[in-house]
Structures are given as structure tokens and as C-alpha cells.
Amino acid sequence: GSNNTFFIARDSSVGIGTAAPTSKLHVLDTTTGLTAKFQNTDENDSAAIAIQNDAREWHIQVRGDDSDKLRIYDNTADAVRLTIDSAGLVGIGTTAPAHKLTVADATLTSGFVDVIGVNNTTTGHTAILGYEANGSAATHSVLRSANNLPLAFVTNNTAVKRMVIDSAGLVGIGGTPTA
């Protein structure tokens, strides 16, 4: 009948709260905002969900053995990709974020190592924060424009440019550089 709370279809699809599952597991709840809950009550243990396709397996987990941090874990590569701690600090490439957003990168190739890119998908313009490395150590912090655009420093949340460095390396204090 229409009051089924658990239903197994002929194709082995399972419906919870629905008698017409549209996937292998279909959970329907029309009364609350929480549709599913996965819980592990062992002290310092983890609750996790595994998601896998033909090439890669990912885990979304709460790690009781690491201060109850939420992690997105790449099980195929055996690497934590994203961490959110109980204070709301987010780490990409680190399990110990120290700021609202901490991006860690251990690449020490020679040249520029791009860590954070901010892209305008309409114009294609990109600003990049990263560092320069010599193959064994980082040598400089780098803020750069990837499209030969001037780099502007602005203060007080206004459009007033305090310093501009153009693509030729000329610096203008208080405005656009002049040759």
C-alpha cells in the first residue's frame, strides 16, 4: 500500500519512505530537514560515508580520533583533501588549519607554485597567490596576475588605487604608473 516505510522493488532498489525508488537506495522524508544520519558512538572513533566509482573512492568522515574534525578523504590516494575543525577553520591540503582558510601545498618544484587562484569565468582573468621555489625550498611569496593585467593595491574598501604595478614592472604610487 501507500503506507510503506521500507520497500524493495523487483530490480533490488530499496525505498525508505517511498514505494517507488528511483535509485538503488532512495530515502524520502517529507517531515524533517534531516533525511539520513550515520552515527558511531564508540569514543574517539569515526563515522563515515564512502562514495566510489570505477576509479576512485572518497570518504566523508567525522574523525573522533582527531578532535572530531570533518574531513573529505581521498581513499584511493590515501590523502586528506579538506578538513573543517570544530572552530570552523577550513584546511585544504592540511589536517590542522590555522586560519579561516588554510591552503597547504608541499610542492617544491622549481618555478612558480600556484596555491590559490581567483578566476573570472567571464573574462578569463586570474589572480594567483602562491610562491616561487628552487626545487628544495620556497624562495618568495608571490601574488601575480596571470593575464598581464596590472596588479593594484586598494585600501579602505574603495576603488582608490594606492599602488599599481603594471605588466612592464612600472610602479605607480597613488595611481597608474607613468614611464
Side-chain angles (χ1 to χ4, degrees):
S2 62
N3 292 336
N4 289 332
T5 56
F6 183 81
F7 180 82
I8 301 175
R10 290 186 182 162
D11 68 353
S12 299
S13 296
V14 175
I16 299 173
T18 179
T22 58
S23 60
K24 283 294 181 187
L25 175 62
H26 183 161
V27 180
L28 176 65
D29 183 0
T30 60
T31 59
T32 68
L34 183 64
T35 302
K37 182 175 183 175
F38 300 88
Q39 183 175 3
N40 184 338
T41 58
D42 287 344
E43 186 175 346
N44 294 325
D45 211 339
S46 298
I49 300 171
I51 303 167
Q52 182 176 359
N53 67 7
D54 64 325
R56 196 153 217 92
E57 181 177 329
W58 292 87
H59 296 177
I60 300 170
Q61 51 189 211
V62 175
R63 294 297 304 243
D65 61 346
D66 189 16
S67 303
D68 300 314
K69 294 174 183 170
L70 174 69
R71 291 185 179 173
I72 296 179
Y73 178 76
D74 182 345
N75 194 58
T76 305
D78 190 26
V80 176
R81 302 298 187 189
L82 183 125
T83 301
I84 304 173
D85 72 11
S86 60
L89 303 180
V90 176
I92 298 173
T94 180
T95 60
H99 310 284
K100 290 286 184 189
L101 175 61
T102 301
V103 180
D105 182 44
T107 306
L108 287 176
T109 58
S110 293
F112 291 113
V113 180
D114 298 338
V115 178
I116 299 175
V118 181
N119 300 26
N120 182 309
T121 57
T122 302
T123 64
H125 297 127
T126 304
I128 298 170
L129 178 63
Y131 56 91
E132 186 176 8
N134 65 10
S136 61
T139 58
H140 298 88
S141 295
V142 176
L143 174 61
R144 67 185 179 99
S145 168
N147 306 91
N148 280 333
L149 291 175
L151 186 61
F153 293 84
V154 179
T155 60
N156 297 329
N157 200 24
T158 67
V160 178
K161 295 176 187 138
R162 304 300 182 185
M163 181 173 75
V164 176
I165 305 171
D166 70 12
S167 60
L170 298 174
V171 177
I173 305 296
T176 305
T178 57

